[in-house]
Amino acid sequence: MTQPHDPMMEIRAGFFLECDELLERLTDSLDAQGFGTLGDEAIHTAFRAVHSVKGGAAAFDLTDLVSFAHGVETHLDLVRSGKRQITSVFCAALLRSADHLAVLVNAARHGTAAPQNGADFLAALGTPAAPATAFGTPALPNTIPDQPWRIHFHPHAQLYTSGNDPLHLLNALTELGDAEITCDWADLPNLQNLMPETGVLAWTILLPAHIPEAAIRETFEFVEDVCDLVITRDCQAIIPGTAIAHNPAASATATHTPSVNTAADMPTVRVDLDRIDRLMNLVGELAIGQSMLAQTLDAAAGQAIAPDQRHRGRYSPTALALDSLGTLTRDIQDAVMRIRAQPVKPLFQRMSRILREASAVLGKPAELICLGETTEVDRSVIERLAEPLTHMIRNAVDHGLELAETRRMQGKPETGTVTLSASHRAGRIIVELADDGSGINREHVRTMAVERGLIDPDLQLSDAEIDALLFHPGFSTAATVSAISGRGVGMDVVQTAIRALGGRIAIQSTLGQGTRFTLSLPLTLAVLDGMVVRAGGQTFILPLAAILETAAITNAGFRELQDGQQLIRLRDQYTSVCDLAATLGYTAQNHTPARRIAILITDENDQRMALLVDQVIDQRQVVIKGLSNNCGVIPGIAAATILGDGHVALILDPGELIHLASLKAAATQHIRLAG
């Protein structure tokens, strides 16, 4: 039996989605450069965000959320009215309160018990300097109580589109007392130029002096961010959110600060993510179907047309229609991918909270600098990056950054810096996490590995090999187990998660200066533009973004160094060679056909290599199918796909192939030297 449709459930789900946006806006505002400066827009944005959360929560009777949001709102209103001085301690308390507000929202979303320690967070903010009204807005003193109120009210277009009506607001003001209302239509255009959705009318309202200011503010409370509003007594302007000291010599003209106009914001529609995933899967199947159709028609045309007339088949109506279908399929795929793509900013904001918590627990002052927050990545990649980045942030604070006293003695700022950045490079997403801490003490890491029996005491290791020990299961350099680290599961989990995404992780560290972790990940886990190649009798897909050039070569084009390494000359430059079939174990190392294809590839670190294949077949967009659940991690292979003829082809990982070729070259040289 199907459950009856409940529209309130959809409205409730929409409220929580809106809360996510509001909390993101709140965090951005609290971290803004100008927060705390009287009149700065960041203060007003933070206040409106908390106020909107409170208003929505009240509609669903979420009392715990309403109560806490009301308390935070009170303090923010004191800040924006200039009655509360901003200090670093107060800002830190506000950030912790924002984190707790997010916890309460999640508890309400999932129907779990809400934490009852909200009073502790509000207490950390201090005692409000002025009594709050029922809606958290402190009543400003009426410096000239015998003067009537003058209100200038100019609605924005968003006020109308959000379902509000100025008539209701004006009627509400008349209920407060005798009101004199004047409409200002000076901006009203000619009828032929009138746009119905544009707000062009404004009103001036006079109210008796005895009416409390709080009652006037309450009337406009829910539209304050979608209108220009100026409240004055005589020649003193009282702008919402700004306290102006009484000055008899002040100008009688009231200046107003318009709210941020979001008219330029693009309209959005909230869609269930499962529907987008299903659409993406269908688009993938469409791509496979289109490829199968193309191959079937090619095979049929090859049999029906004489060899000397086959070039005409390329321009037949069927071929042209198929090309149009292929173009349309690609456009649909690109459009769906743009829907799935999301900026990494929400993920980076979560890491800010993780760093603050780790910093507070360990007593190490630290700040997080985020770069490239607008970099867009497939949402499936973003979701699965949260856990490894959490471990890395905690490790950076625990193992990387020094105590404030130690940093001071070393001539460093007492507050440590962790930098988190994202960018696109060579068709991949590059996420870097760097700290300005003590760096990796590789001698200590080696000693710990020997004590734990992971390596032989006489074994000589390079810096990269020592760094690789950090990813060994159960390995930890922490002397004691703490709430942050010490159990030896952090970096092992990181490497496992990154490899499951088809990514790689690299370490750069200088003792005394800091450490940088670089994560290289695929842009998407859905589709890929690739080149279909054959080597060793097998079909492979090489990501198109990693290809710089292709060239046909013969055996005469090779040069061999004394250490056995082979080079080829491409565009007057010698490049190291990797035999794809031999590297993956499909043929012997000395398999050298008379004519080969060299594909010049690059990785995210701009390292280049010539990949030798037997044949280049086609260029096409393929649907990525993961292998890790069934086959584990395969060196040099990122994933698989289904071709149009139904066969499975492996998708190559160019960066891993370059790494494998380097290891084989080093091993060959070592054997030659040993011999």
Side-chain angles (χ1 to χ4, degrees):
M1 181 178 178
T2 59
Q3 296 292 331
H5 176 68
D6 186 0
M8 284 303 297
M9 292 300 295
E10 293 184 4
I11 297 174
R12 183 184 175 94
F15 161 69
F16 286 118
L17 288 174
E18 184 180 4
C19 281
D20 293 337
E21 299 174 4
L22 293 170
L23 290 172
E24 178 181 340
R25 200 178 305 165
L26 172 62
T27 304
D28 283 348
S29 302
L30 297 180
D31 287 334
Q33 189 76 21
F35 184 81
T37 304
L38 187 63
D40 185 77
E41 183 57 33
I43 301 175
H44 299 286
T45 302
F47 175 83
R48 289 193 294 266
V50 177
H51 178 74
S52 298
V53 170
K54 184 190 73 172
F60 295 101
D61 198 26
L62 304 174
T63 55
D64 291 330
L65 183 55
V66 171
S67 177
F68 185 77
H70 173 73
V72 176
E73 182 188 45
T74 300
H75 289 278
L76 286 173
D77 195 73
L78 292 176
V79 171
R80 68 172 191 159
S81 64
K83 296 185 176 182
R84 180 66 185 266
Q85 186 177 4
I86 296 294
T87 63
S88 58
V89 174
F90 181 67
C91 282
L94 274 177
L95 286 169
R96 289 193 294 271
S97 296
D99 291 341
H100 184 69
L101 191 64
V103 171
L104 292 177
V105 169
N106 282 331
R109 186 201 309 264
H110 300 295
T112 58
Q116 299 300 314
N117 57 340
D120 297 335
F121 291 95
L122 295 178
L125 293 172
T127 304
T133 68
F135 284 84
T137 306
L140 298 178
N142 296 333
T143 53
I144 312 178
D146 57 337
Q147 296 294 326
W149 292 107
R150 179 180 294 272
I151 305 163
H152 176 73
F153 171 49
H154 183 191
H156 296 165
Q158 294 90 333
L159 184 141
Y160 299 96
T161 58
S162 61
N164 290 288
D165 189 340
L167 179 61
H168 297 323
L169 299 172
L170 297 176
N171 288 337
L173 291 176
T174 60
E175 294 176 0
L176 297 177
D178 295 333
E180 181 182 331
I181 302 175
T182 305
C183 182
D184 180 5
W185 50 73
D187 295 333
L188 189 66
N190 295 329
L191 185 61
Q192 60 269 24
N193 297 326
L194 179 62
M195 302 293 292
E197 64 274 12
T198 304
V200 294
L201 298 180
W203 287 269
T204 299
I205 306 100
L206 295 179
L207 287 174
H210 67 274
I211 297 176
E213 180 192 349
I216 301 175
R217 291 183 181 276
E218 182 179 333
T219 303
F220 295 99
E221 185 174 19
F222 290 100
V223 298
E224 191 175 0
D225 57 340
V226 288
C227 71
D228 292 341
L229 182 66
V230 179
I231 304 175
T232 63
R233 269 195 191 274
D234 193 32
C235 62
Q236 181 194 13
I238 306 176
I239 306 170
T242 307
I244 302 179
H246 175 53
N247 181 4
S251 170
T253 303
T255 60
H256 67 278
T257 305
S259 303
V260 175
N261 193 346
T262 57
D265 293 347
M266 296 295 292
T268 59
V269 176
R270 293 190 177 95
V271 180
D272 191 345
L273 291 175
D274 290 338
R275 297 185 181 182
I276 297 178
D277 288 340
R278 175 169 172 76
L279 177 60
M280 191 67 233
N281 291 334
L282 292 174
V283 170
E285 297 302 323
L286 175 62
I288 294 175
Q290 187 266 339
S291 179
M292 294 177 65
L293 178 60
Q295 290 196 7
T296 302
L297 291 177
D298 285 345
Q303 297 173 0
I305 302 176
D308 59 343
Q309 299 293 323
R310 285 181 182 174
H311 65 281
R312 297 184 179 180
R314 300 174 185 174
Y315 306 102
S316 66
T318 302
L320 294 176
L322 186 61
D323 288 342
S324 298
L325 176 61
T327 301
L328 179 60
T329 301
R330 178 177 292 273
D331 290 343
I332 294 174
Q333 288 174 335
D334 291 341
V336 176
M337 285 305 304
R338 283 194 292 270
I339 294 175
R340 285 174 59 102
Q342 294 180 350
V344 297
K345 183 177 179 180
L347 174 63
F348 281 13
Q349 286 183 330
R350 291 168 61 182
M351 295 306 108
S352 297
R353 176 181 176 182
I354 298 298
L355 181 132
R356 289 197 299 269
E357 292 175 349
S359 175
V361 170
L362 298 170
K364 296 181 179 180
E367 65 173 344
L368 182 67
I369 298 177
C370 296
L371 305 174
E373 293 178 315
T374 58
T375 303
E376 291 190 342
V377 190
D378 191 298
R379 76 167 188 89
S380 58
V381 176
I382 292 179
E383 290 173 353
R384 294 164 64 179
L385 262 181
E387 182 179 2
L389 279 182
T390 296
H391 285 292
M392 295 173 68
I393 289 285
R394 289 173 174 169
N395 280 344
V397 179
D398 192 8
H399 299 293
L401 300 181
E402 311 92 336
L403 293 170
E405 182 178 353
T406 303
R407 293 179 63 87
R408 186 170 60 252
M409 294 175 60
Q410 295 175 349
K412 295 181 178 180
E414 293 187 7
T415 300
T417 301
V418 177
T419 303
L420 184 60
S421 64
S423 61
H424 290 158
R425 199 183 308 161
R428 294 175 73 85
I429 172 71
I430 305 300
V431 178
E432 293 184 330
L433 181 71
D435 65 71
D436 64 347
S438 57
I440 296 176
N441 187 336
R442 294 187 172 92
E443 188 60 34
H444 177 61
V445 172
R446 189 182 187 283
T447 301
M448 294 293 294
V450 171
E451 292 179 357
R452 296 172 184 268
L454 299 179
I455 60 173
D456 188 271
D458 299 328
L459 184 63
Q460 298 298 318
L461 299 177
S462 64
D463 287 350
E465 291 171 329
I466 293 176
D467 293 342
L469 292 172
L470 298 174
F471 300 107
H472 194 281
F475 183 81
S476 175
T477 58
T480 59
V481 176
S482 68
I484 299 296
S485 63
R487 298 191 183 276
V489 296
M491 296 311 296
D492 176 36
V493 169
V494 169
Q495 187 178 59
T496 301
I498 298 304
R499 284 183 174 177
L501 283 168
R504 298 180 294 276
I505 181 169
I507 303 177
Q508 293 176 316
S509 182
T510 302
L511 191 62
Q513 297 182 19
T515 303
R516 179 183 301 274
F517 290 87
T518 302
L519 310 182
S520 173
L521 303 158
L523 284 176
T524 174
L525 303 181
V527 294
L528 172 76
D529 282 314
M531 181 177 287
V532 185
V533 301
R534 286 189 66 82
Q538 304 294 322
T539 303
F540 301 96
I541 306 296
L542 187 61
L544 205 59
I547 299 176
L548 300 178
E549 181 182 358
T550 61
I553 58 172
T554 62
N555 291 339
F558 290 95
R559 296 290 184 271
E560 186 169 341
L561 302 180
Q562 291 183 351
D563 60 1
Q565 182 180 4
Q566 284 188 321
L567 302 176
I568 62 171
R569 188 179 180 120
L570 293 173
R571 294 189 181 274
D572 297 328
Q573 186 176 11
Y574 283 101
T575 306
S576 60
V577 176
C578 171
D579 187 325
L580 176 60
T583 300
L584 297 180
Y586 288 105
T587 60
Q589 189 68 39
N590 59 359
H591 173 70
T592 55
R595 189 173 181 83
R596 309 287 301 276
I597 303 295
I599 303 177
L600 185 62
I601 62 174
T602 182
D603 64 4
E604 61 276 4
N605 296 320
D606 291 331
Q607 293 182 326
R608 298 186 177 191
M609 184 182 67
L611 194 66
L612 296 184
V613 301
D614 299 332
Q615 183 183 5
V616 173
I617 300 176
D618 194 6
Q619 175 184 327
R620 67 184 61 168
Q621 197 169 47
V622 298
V623 180
I624 299 175
K625 304 291 184 181
L627 291 174
S628 58
N629 293 336
N630 300 318
C631 305
V633 178
I634 304 175
I637 304 300
T641 188
I642 301 175
L643 299 177
D645 57 6
H647 288 87
V648 175
L650 297 177
I651 300 175
L652 301 173
D653 184 339
E656 185 69 16
L657 287 174
I658 293 176
H659 178 64
L660 287 175
S662 301
L663 292 179
K664 285 197 173 187
T668 302
Q669 183 179 8
H670 179 73
I671 292 174
R672 287 175 177 264
L673 293 175

